[in-house]
Amino acid sequence: QVQLVQSGSELKKPGASVKVSCKASGYTFTSYAMNWVRQAPGQGLEWMGWINTNTGNPTYAQGFTGRFVFSLDTSVSTAYLQISSLKAEDTAVYYCARDGRPGQQLVPNWFDPWGQGTLVTVSS
Amino acid sequence: SYVLTQPPSVSVAPGKTARITCGGNNIGSKSVHWYQQKPGQAPVLVIYYDSDRPSGIPERFSGSNSGNTATLTISRVEAGDEADYYCQVWDSSSDHLFGGGTKLTVL
């Protein structure tokens, strides 16, 4: 079955970096775009952007430029989210979520499935 | 930028019908998708393209979209439906956008 499995929780100090992984299985990885979504504690969902899994080209939403980097390793069907210069306000659960249809967002669509989420806690 | 407005909470008795709205300017011209998120879990798609149900989602879940309001309807509500529900659209000025979420409480 189609599945996204993310790496485990992280506890980081301010100023450090973190890299979250999202391993896909059950489908052709390079046929579907991958999205990243943030959920701060007790808050709603916030779309961070997406990466074209065929070309590796990332697109970042407003507010997620500069310190956030999306990348891929297609040989192991894995997408990555790296956050540098971590701040306390980066504390959140980060989800990867596959596009609902193939086509690399030629037509924007829904997200399905989602990874289980990775909690990143930034605290001194 | 485009804004989606959901009521913070909706309460319903077991067996009754819950209606969760998602308001936006001329949202009827957009495709609306809905997600269910239970505490400590990842979101799950329950409705896409306004009214289509993914496989495995009960027929009790349905959606509609017209004018300035999209609606997720849950018939014969069960205790297991208690969760947060989010609507999502794509807009040229905002890219992918989620509503603020609605907490469904089953009384």
Side-chain angles (χ1 to χ4, degrees):
Chain A
Q1 75 282 20
V2 177
Q3 196 174 9
L4 301 177
V5 178
Q6 298 185 224
S7 48
S9 298
E10 302 267 11
L11 174 60
K12 296 290 185 181
K13 294 188 183 303
S17 295
V18 69
K19 194 170 186 177
V20 176
S21 67
C22 170
K23 182 171 178 58
S25 61
Y27 71 97
T28 301
F29 181 70
T30 52
S31 293
Y32 293 76
M34 190 69 75
N35 299 268
W36 289 94
V37 177
R38 181 172 76 177
Q39 187 169 38
Q43 302 300 307
L45 304 171
E46 188 176 15
W47 182 71
M48 301 172 64
W50 67 285
I51 185 165
N52 185 317
T53 55
N54 195 33
T55 65
N57 184 50
T59 299
Y60 301 98
Q62 281 190 348
F64 294 99
T65 55
R67 297 188 300 116
F68 300 84
V69 176
F70 306 149
S71 61
L72 305 170
D73 184 342
T74 56
S75 68
V76 289
S77 300
T78 301
Y80 300 95
L81 163 65
Q82 184 163 356
I83 313 171
S84 59
S85 303
L86 284 163
K87 308 173 184 181
E89 50 264 43
D90 293 324
T91 294
V93 175
Y94 292 86
Y95 293 100
C96 58
R98 195 197 73 170
D99 258 19
R101 295 188 314 181
Q104 307 290 355
Q105 296 212 4
L106 282 175
V107 177
N109 51 86
W110 59 94
F111 306 146
D112 181 51
W114 295 55
Q116 83 276 19
T118 297
L119 173 62
V120 174
T121 303
V122 184
S123 174
S124 54
Chain B
S1 60
Y2 196 76
V3 176
L4 293 174
T5 302
Q6 296 184 238
S9 62
V10 168
S11 298
V12 63
K16 300 299 185 182
T17 298
R19 293 179 179 85
I20 298 171
T21 59
C22 178
N25 185 34
N26 198 24
I27 197 173
S29 67
K30 302 181 183 300
S31 294
V32 180
H33 319 298
W34 290 91
Y35 303 89
Q36 176 194 68
Q37 186 180 33
K38 296 181 179 179
Q41 297 184 20
V44 172
L45 178 74
V46 293
I47 292 289
Y48 65 100
Y49 274 158
D50 297 341
S51 59
D52 289 343
R53 265 180 299 103
S55 60
I57 300 301
E59 291 184 8
R60 300 185 297 105
F61 287 80
S62 62
S64 63
N65 184 18
S66 179
N68 292 320
T69 305
T71 303
L72 172 68
T73 301
I74 310 171
S75 304
R76 303 180 300 282
V77 167
E78 303 173 356
D81 298 332
E82 191 162 279
D84 293 327
Y85 291 84
Y86 295 90
C87 57
Q88 178 231 328
V89 301
W90 183 87
D91 176 78
S92 59
S93 66
S94 305
D95 274 317
H96 292 284
L97 181 65
F98 292 96
T102 297
K103 180 177 180 58
L104 177 66
T105 299
V106 181
L107 301 171

